[in-house]
Amino acid sequence: MTERKPAGSTFESWIDKQVREAAERGEFENLAGAGKPIPGAGSPIDENWWLRGYLRREGVSGDVMLPTSLRLRREVERFPDGLGEFDSADEVRAACADLNARIVDWMRVPQGPMVPMGLVDVEDMLTRWSALRAPAARTVPEPPPHIAEPRERTARRGWRGWFRRGSG
């Protein structure tokens, strides 16, 4: 709409006139989404809808908006769950050292809420990492086909047989 509102008319009557003329020309027919419900109609009002939409579009979690102390605490809690992603013990040590360095930096000049937090125990993480890797490494090879299976015992004596055997 490039025309300006005439000086003698009210704003409301001028808009109503433009809408009526556009409807008479058929400009509102065959619009995209005609007959479909309005997205989000009837849902509760969320005052942070724009923020949630932005984070979803950018593919970022809400953790980036947390204060440093809470973010570090979450990383410490989630660290054991991500141990399976590391390929070597050196990578586990490097990740622990990086996280511990960030925790120490925060402890020097704490900002935000004071959250009790300790350093990550590197040896504990290495033990957990090796326990995760162990089942894959402990696969027992199949015996060669020429070795016979051990025979099963045919008769068992039980606990009383031990006493009888010695007394003869």
Side-chain angles (χ1 to χ4, degrees):
M1 308 249 158
T2 56
E3 62 183 83
R4 298 180 63 104
K5 178 179 85 67
S9 66
T10 64
F11 184 73
E12 187 174 347
S13 64
W14 180 65
I15 295 293
D16 289 337
K17 178 183 170 200
Q18 287 181 336
V19 170
R20 183 179 42 78
E21 288 175 355
E24 289 172 359
R25 289 190 302 266
E27 292 182 15
F28 297 125
E29 295 174 9
N30 299 325
L31 293 175
K36 295 180 182 173
I38 298 172
S43 62
I45 296 173
D46 181 18
E47 49 193 45
N48 292 326
W49 63 270
W50 60 274
L51 183 59
R52 293 181 201 281
Y54 177 75
L55 292 174
R56 186 175 49 252
R57 281 191 310 273
E58 295 298 319
V60 180
S61 71
D63 290 352
V64 296
M65 304 199 57
L66 290 174
T68 306
S69 59
L70 295 176
R71 236 183 331 189
L72 288 171
R73 178 69 177 261
R74 248 189 207 176
E75 276 188 67
V76 169
E77 290 173 354
R78 293 179 180 170
F79 194 82
D81 297 335
L83 285 175
E85 299 173 5
F86 298 112
D87 294 328
S88 68
D90 292 334
E91 288 182 15
V92 175
R93 283 189 189 94
C96 288
D98 177 52
L99 182 56
N100 284 339
R102 288 186 285 138
I103 291 171
V104 167
D105 288 343
W106 175 78
M107 286 180 174
R108 287 187 182 140
V109 184
Q111 296 173 347
M114 295 301 293
V115 178
M117 181 178 356
L119 297 176
V120 176
D121 185 9
V122 179
E123 294 304 317
D124 180 42
M125 291 302 139
L126 284 171
T127 305
R128 290 182 183 195
W129 176 79
S130 61
L132 286 173
R133 306 286 287 189
R138 284 190 207 156
T139 56
V140 177
E142 290 287 324
H146 66 278
I147 298 177
E149 292 289 323
R151 284 187 277 148
E152 300 233 356
R153 293 184 187 179
T154 55
R156 299 187 97 193
R157 284 193 239 187
W159 65 273
R160 293 183 189 186
W162 287 99
F163 295 110
R164 286 188 205 139
R165 187 171 49 165
S167 60

